[in-house]
Amino acid sequence: MDRRLFVSALAGATALPVVTSPRFAPGAIRRLIDAADVARSRGARLLDPDAIAWRGTAAEDAAFAADEDFWEPIQRAFDLDRTWINLNNGGCSPAPSHVMAQLERDLRFSNELPVIHMWQTLEPRIEIVRRELAREFGCDTEEMAITRNASEALLTLIHGIDLKAGDEVLLSNQNYGRMMNGWKQRARRQGIVVKEISFPVPCTTPQQIVDAFAAGITDRTRVIEITHITNLTGQILPVKEIIQMARARNIDVFVDGAHAFAQFPFTRDELGVDFYGTSLHKWLLAPIGTGFLYVRRNRIADIWPLYAENDGQTKDIRKFEEIGTHPAANHNAVSVSLAFHRAIGVGRKSARLMYLRDRWAKRLLAEGQGRVKVLTPLDSKWGGGLGFFNVDGIEPTKLGGWLMSNHRVVQTPIVHPEFKGIRVTPNVYTTLDEIDRFAELVLTAIHKGIP
């Protein structure tokens, strides 16, 4: 809608026009097509769902990290409010314009005749999304459930596994709060025992984390729930090693991969997981309200769904999708996000995110008068694109509030019982100018203080 018409309507000058079709910012689709053309010349096919996924070496991925000719057209694939600097993509990321175009088109098509268009035409396409997500994760199609987010996926496991009073569940005190609340509710209702362990951040010696969990195990431990990468500091956990240690003791491990899937490369077999849940509206750039739950096929019958299953679904992964009426448009648009993700290449994406992280983090360390501490492992495979820092003498909530209210820089102040700081999560659309502006503002606060 034209902004001037909108403002005039608010003043009573004219009636609002009826909007009958999706509208994008002027030239958005043209820019997207241009972006695809430029990206194609750099080896990426951004709009082709049949494009072969990039499979470069680590050195080839790293070579693309600072190639602005490659990333500039990818940045133009998004419709964004560039008067803000959004460094909280770890909470929820915008999706590319062409992903939103399919989402909106399918929502409007559904609304024309929902019981036919949505249920009969669009909903069956979830099987294609299931197939492609399974291919990306490296599992069987019959082990992949489409959910609305990581919370739904993990809470399905948390509330779905049989436990009795006295059984113990072992967590880290850096697990996501909603999952911890799910376990605590089971403790209140059923008398299970929830125990928490701690580990240092940053941690570049993964055996410390394995040992911390091993030390918390007793003969009553039935489940360990871990994060693949923490939503707090971006610490990557040694998932495979924890699973191997737990499996030898007949303990199940649930893995919360909300910030891991599509941020850096891995597969099911590289982790050895039996249970894994994630969100897709962070690093896969899918529409808000999309995620998946993986359960190894021989364990599906062991987990009760959140909603009652249909007859004959005990061993069917689809029982975890029985949530009642819901839009098909959201999960179907995941297929478009996957094509975009594969064209970029997860290795190139990971290298770019760490390049952006290092650009601000290492500058703050170098120019911050010795007052900056980064709690994300740098120059280490145990840290990803999610970064976390604090400044001696400045409360993170005060610094974060100043950045947000005075300079329109979105970030995430976090106060944990064992550490505090600001989380910074750029994405592939983030420009170097935005990263540099953020760093300059933090340095200004360090050198001159916050009014």
Side-chain angles (χ1 to χ4, degrees), residues 141-156:
T141 301
E142 296 302 313
E143 299 172 316
M144 175 64 64
I146 313 301
T147 66
R148 291 171 289 188
N149 46 59
S151 294
E152 182 175 69
L154 269 294
L155 287 169
T156 296

Side-chain angles (χ1 to χ4, degrees), residues 281-426:
H281 46 242
K282 300 179 189 288
W283 305 107
L284 190 64
L285 308 172
I288 297 168
T290 52
F292 75 66
L293 168 63
Y294 162 79
V295 181
R296 196 175 291 274
R297 179 175 271 193
N298 65 347
R299 300 303 309 277
I300 293 172
D302 299 337
I303 305 294
W304 296 87
L306 287 178
Y307 289 65
E309 64 200 51
N310 297 314
D311 290 342
Q313 279 193 311
T314 301
K315 298 181 180 181
D316 187 347
I317 194 71
R318 294 162 189 79
K319 71 180 182 180
F320 302 123
E321 299 169 358
E322 295 294 336
I323 59 172
T325 302
H326 60 278
N330 295 53
H331 57 62
N332 284 357
V334 169
S335 60
V336 187
S337 296
L338 267 169
F340 189 72
H341 170 75
R342 287 168 176 165
I344 296 172
V346 66
R348 289 192 291 212
K349 180 190 287 186
S350 179
R352 176 65 171 186
L353 293 175
M354 288 189 284
Y355 173 77
L356 295 176
R357 179 204 67 192
D358 287 351
R359 189 175 178 95
W360 66 260
K362 292 185 177 181
R363 181 178 177 187
L364 294 186
L365 288 171
E367 301 177 29
Q369 299 177 334
R371 295 170 58 189
V372 175
K373 184 176 183 181
V374 176
L375 299 184
T376 305
L378 305 179
D379 302 315
S380 167
K381 70 175 185 177
W382 303 108
L386 188 161
F388 188 85
F389 77 100
N390 59 43
V391 178
D392 184 36
I394 304 180
E395 285 297 315
T397 52
K398 184 177 181 180
L399 177 57
W402 177 75
L403 289 167
M404 175 84 81
S405 61
N406 289 52
H407 301 285
R408 297 169 72 88
V409 178
V410 185
Q411 25 60 57
T412 317
I414 292 173
V415 178
H416 185 272
E418 296 178 356
F419 51 83
K420 58 185 177 181
I422 290 179
R423 187 184 75 183
V424 182
T425 50

Side-chain angles (χ1 to χ4, degrees), residues 89-138:
N89 293 278
C92 196
S93 178
S97 299
H98 64 297
V99 175
M100 294 303 297
Q102 172 163 322
L103 175 69
E104 293 183 17
R105 183 178 67 246
D106 283 357
L107 284 173
R108 291 180 181 279
F109 178 71
S110 296
N111 196 58
E112 292 172 5
L113 184 58
V115 296
I116 302 297
H117 289 185
M118 185 174 72
W119 285 350
Q120 295 186 22
T121 303
L122 294 181
E123 184 60 31
R125 298 178 188 175
I126 194 174
E127 296 305 322
I128 306 302
V129 179
R130 186 188 321 281
R131 180 193 71 196
E132 294 306 302
L133 282 172
R135 182 161 72 96
E136 195 71 21
F137 189 59

Side-chain angles (χ1 to χ4, degrees), residues 37-54:
D37 289 340
V38 177
R40 190 176 297 111
S41 72
R42 309 295 295 180
R45 293 157 61 188
L46 298 185
L47 299 180
D48 185 353
D50 298 319
I52 299 173
W54 165 262

